[in-house]
Amino acid sequence: MSTVPILLRPASPDLADYLAADDVIDHHHPQVRALALRLRGDSVESGARAAFEYVRDEVAHSADAGRWSGAHRASDVLAAGDAICHGKAHLLAAVLRAQGVPTGLCYQRLEVLHGLVAVHWPGGGWVRLDPRGNRPGVDARFATDPARERLAWPVDPAKGEYDHTTVHPATPPVLLAALATARPGRTGYGHLPLDL
């Protein structure tokens, strides 16, 4: 499925910011590093594809699994085995950064604020990936070309939905504060901001 690519804008001009570890994208954590090493392929692309498919397929989306870990830090998501889209995006960003792939966070304003990652490909620019997890009617795929992005949901402007175009090197503070209020077992998205 081809789409008209949107122009993504990095919040920082320094690609090193998209390789850094922090408290949420904690790719220095031993289990995150071990996973990144295990998934590393014979090329940057094959390792990135394996990381995307692992997070998309092996880490459950909380709503689909009926388990709500409340995890949002990458290492906590890996340990819990489930998270909402933001936690899954943080884990994918951590694994990709541990593999040396510049990765940022980006968002869609749907009924809720949906979390994605954006990967910087040399010569190709930024491409979004949606590790949310597939289910009937949802078929997100790996891409290295913006024209071939395949996210879980396309935005519907008639519903007031839109794509944020900024690629953030770290979780925006308003979202981070909201994610910190999540508690294991508490279902739903009521704790999330509707927008950034």
Side-chain angles (χ1 to χ4, degrees), residues 124-144:
W126 293 97
V127 179
R128 296 178 300 170
L129 300 175
D130 190 344
R132 183 240 177 258
N134 290 341
R135 64 177 193 206
V138 177
D139 188 24
R141 302 280 178 98
F142 181 80
T144 59

